[in-house]
Amino acid sequence: MGFAEPRPLSGPRLTPWAEGDYASSMLRAVFYDLDGTLVDSEADNCDVISRVLAGLGKTASAEERRFVVGHSWNEVHALLCRNHALAIAPSELISLAVAERSALARDRGVRALPGAREVPRRLSVRFSQTVVSGSSREEVAMSLVAIGIDDLFP
């Protein structure tokens, strides 16, 4: 038994901006990632880990700095404890990182990526929205305030 040839789709195009289109009738919510989607923070996250480790008398390797991008705090905590024989709770590591990230944000600012302000604001009139992130709640809140869209994510 073979597969049928795909048929061309008919009907309205899937464009989220058009009123009354197919996409808007199916779409109910929009989920945004924070780091690398709404804010340009991935390099800052690497610097945060370096600063946290320096405060603990350790040096972050290039591999550890790269690992931070795209991994959860639990994964980062496990790697750092294993590599540096740290006896630190995940919550303490996150607290130290939040303090360092806040300091970096004060020093460098938080950089919104293109569309990070406009797209959520435009979509907020029609869809529920939320932010999903491997960053802590404190980091998410700080970033959303910094780029001026915290009112869209109560």
Side-chain angles (χ1 to χ4, degrees), residues 5-14 22:
E5 286 296 314
R7 291 181 294 142
L9 295 176
S10 61
R13 294 188 44 152
L14 298 178
Y22 177 76

Side-chain angles (χ1 to χ4, degrees), residues 86-141:
L86 296 177
I88 185 173
S91 59
E92 187 178 351
L93 178 65
I94 291 170
S95 293
L96 293 170
V98 168
E100 290 296 345
R101 189 163 179 183
S102 294
L104 278 178
R106 280 191 305 276
D107 295 346
R108 299 178 185 171
V110 176
R111 295 169 307 280
L113 288 169
R117 292 181 181 100
E118 301 80 11
V119 171
R121 202 154 294 288
R122 189 166 181 184
L123 293 180
S124 71
V125 298
R126 295 183 56 203
F127 304 110
S128 297
Q129 303 181 110
T130 193
V131 174
V132 294
S133 180
S135 294
S136 70
R137 289 181 183 271
E138 295 87 355
E139 291 169 301
V140 171

Side-chain angles (χ1 to χ4, degrees), residues 39-116:
V39 296
D40 184 16
S41 58
E42 292 179 338
D44 290 345
N45 291 342
C46 297
D47 291 345
V48 162
I49 289 302
S50 292
R51 290 171 71 154
V52 167
L53 284 176
L56 298 170
K58 310 290 184 182
T59 302
S61 69
E63 176 188 342
E64 290 166 337
R65 288 176 54 86
R66 283 190 301 272
F67 185 82
V68 170
V69 176
H71 289 89
S72 71
W73 273 114
N74 288 336
E75 294 168 310
V76 171
H77 174 263
L79 177 76
L80 297 179
C81 286
R82 184 175 56 250
N83 289 359
H84 298 281
L86 296 177
I88 185 173
S91 59
E92 187 178 351
L93 178 65
I94 291 170
S95 293
L96 293 170
V98 168
E100 290 296 345
R101 189 163 179 183
S102 294
L104 278 178
R106 280 191 305 276
D107 295 346
R108 299 178 185 171
V110 176
R111 295 169 307 280
L113 288 169

